[in-house]
Amino acid sequence: MPWFIRRKKNITTPTEAKKDVPKGLWYKTPSGKIIETEELKANNYVSPEDDHHVRIGSKEYFDILFDDGKFKELDANLSSEDPLNWVDTKPYKERLEELKTKTGLNDSIRTGVGKVHGRDITVCCMDFKFIGGSLGSVMGEKIARAVDYCIKHKTPLLIITQSGGARMMEAAISLMQLAKVEAKLIQLAEHNIPYITLLTNPSFGGITASFGSIGDIIMAEPGALIGFAGPRVIKETIGRDLPKGFQTSEFLLEKGFVDMIVHRTKLKDKLKEVTDMLMPIK
């Protein structure tokens, strides 16, 4: 039928010549606004429209905190083995190799040493994109070695948490890291070296229940979700309705679990202020 016959070719650009818009140039905020990623980066990955703190990883935090983005990474090549020969939908060892290729990371935490407003600081930062920032043998060992470095070089320690909890593929070995890290942090305290935590979204499970909540100063980002278990599990366990927003950093600040909420654009200045207060430079 003539209705379905194209009489005139209106499309002048051949399909193979068309170009898609490159991915990553724009970011859609939770309020629906579209902004350029460069603008987002310039604002420390905080959406200017709704003040939403976008989830970022160790690379971005190191760029924000360290002077000129310069730092030395410790134990960069440390990676997990598969002591339990874990097999679920695929072998653990195979999954690790795929994640290393995909993320460019060797595990769920990185340690950087550099200057923050001229002061030497050691920062351990978790990466949620590597198995949910889960705690395994490598994370425990990296934090333990970071503590040793802090004691030797007299630098404060900051741990930035971003985790769903323990790594099930390492089972009891994962849980042992909680005691291991806390024992090392006691050594840090014995040397009068400050330990600061920054709880970001999300911070859950054993991380929050252990070394995430015992810092000399506990900071949190605005709107971060922080807790041990999810709200559905808690509600079913205690059989009661839960307060609205009870796992947000704002609620936890009100209840005294968090010492301060720090906007990401002010994080570097606040870290310098806190470390100078806890460990004055002689």
Side-chain angles (χ1 to χ4, degrees):
M1 294 178 65
W3 288 353
F4 300 102
I5 298 174
R6 188 187 297 275
R7 295 184 180 277
K8 185 178 180 181
K9 292 185 177 181
N10 296 321
I11 302 174
T12 58
T13 305
T15 302
E16 60 272 13
K18 293 181 179 180
K19 294 183 179 180
D20 294 328
V21 176
K23 293 181 179 179
L25 291 181
W26 305 93
Y27 173 78
K28 187 175 182 180
T29 71
S31 60
K33 299 290 184 179
I34 305 295
I35 63 172
E36 293 184 12
T37 52
E38 285 301 315
E39 180 184 357
L40 187 69
K41 181 179 179 180
N43 200 41
N44 288 353
Y45 302 93
V46 178
S47 167
E49 294 289 342
D50 50 22
D51 214 37
H52 174 70
H53 283 54
V54 177
R55 183 188 297 160
I56 57 177
S58 57
K59 178 184 182 301
E60 292 79 13
Y61 277 112
F62 289 168
D63 286 342
I64 290 169
L65 289 173
F66 292 124
D67 296 347
D68 301 320
K70 296 179 180 178
F71 66 94
K72 178 179 71 173
E73 185 170 357
L74 304 181
D75 308 304
N77 296 323
L78 211 60
S79 60
S80 289
E81 296 293 332
D82 185 13
L84 305 178
N85 295 316
W86 180 278
V87 178
D88 189 6
T89 54
K90 66 173 61 178
Y92 177 42
K93 188 174 293 186
E94 182 180 329
R95 186 177 180 188
L96 285 173
E97 292 306 316
E98 288 179 358
L99 280 165
K100 289 176 185 178
T101 302
K102 182 179 179 180
T103 65
L105 302 167
N106 280 329
D107 210 89
S108 55
I109 195 168
R110 292 172 70 207
T111 303
V113 178
K115 294 184 181 296
V116 175
H117 287 315
R119 167 153 212 162
D120 291 323
I121 293 180
T122 301
V123 181
C124 295
C125 182
M126 300 176 192
D127 280 280
F128 194 79
K129 61 185 177 182
F130 198 101
I131 317 184
S134 52
L135 169 67
S137 55
V138 167
M139 182 183 289
E141 182 63 19
K142 279 195 172 185
I143 295 176
R145 295 187 186 188
V147 170
D148 290 337
Y149 183 93
C150 290
I151 293 173
K152 181 178 179 180
H153 298 276
K154 305 297 181 185
T155 69
L157 174 65
L158 169 68
I159 296 181
I160 302 175
T161 68
Q162 190 181 93
S163 176
R167 187 174 298 178
M168 65 177 183
M169 291 81 85
E170 297 189 21
I173 296 173
S174 170
L175 296 177
M176 288 167 58
Q177 306 307 310
L178 299 172
K180 174 179 177 178
V181 170
E182 292 205 22
K184 294 299 293 186
L185 290 173
I186 290 174
Q187 294 179 10
L188 197 69
E190 290 172 346
H191 285 81
N192 297 317
I193 295 175
Y195 164 49
I196 302 158
T197 55
L198 173 65
L199 309 178
T200 73
N201 184 42
S203 291
F204 274 89
I207 302 292
T208 307
S210 60
F211 60 85
S213 60
I214 61 170
D216 298 309
I217 296 290
I218 301 175
M219 303 189 295
E221 288 190 335
L225 292 177
I226 303 164
F228 179 68
R232 179 182 58 82
V233 174
I234 297 174
K235 183 177 180 179
E236 291 177 355
T237 302
I238 66 176
R240 296 173 56 186
D241 290 331
L242 304 168
K244 185 178 180 180
F246 79 106
Q247 288 184 320
T248 62
S249 53
E250 288 77 10
F251 183 90
L252 296 175
L253 176 66
E254 180 184 336
K255 300 302 180 181
F257 182 84
V258 168
D259 294 312
M260 62 182 75
I261 294 176
V262 183
H263 197 281
R264 196 179 288 162
T265 56
K266 299 178 180 178
L267 177 59
K268 184 172 181 176
D269 294 338
K270 181 58 69 173
L271 180 60
K272 177 66 162 55
E273 178 185 328
V274 167
T275 52
D276 284 352
M277 177 183 67
L278 295 175
M279 191 178 182
I281 298 176
K282 297 179 180 180

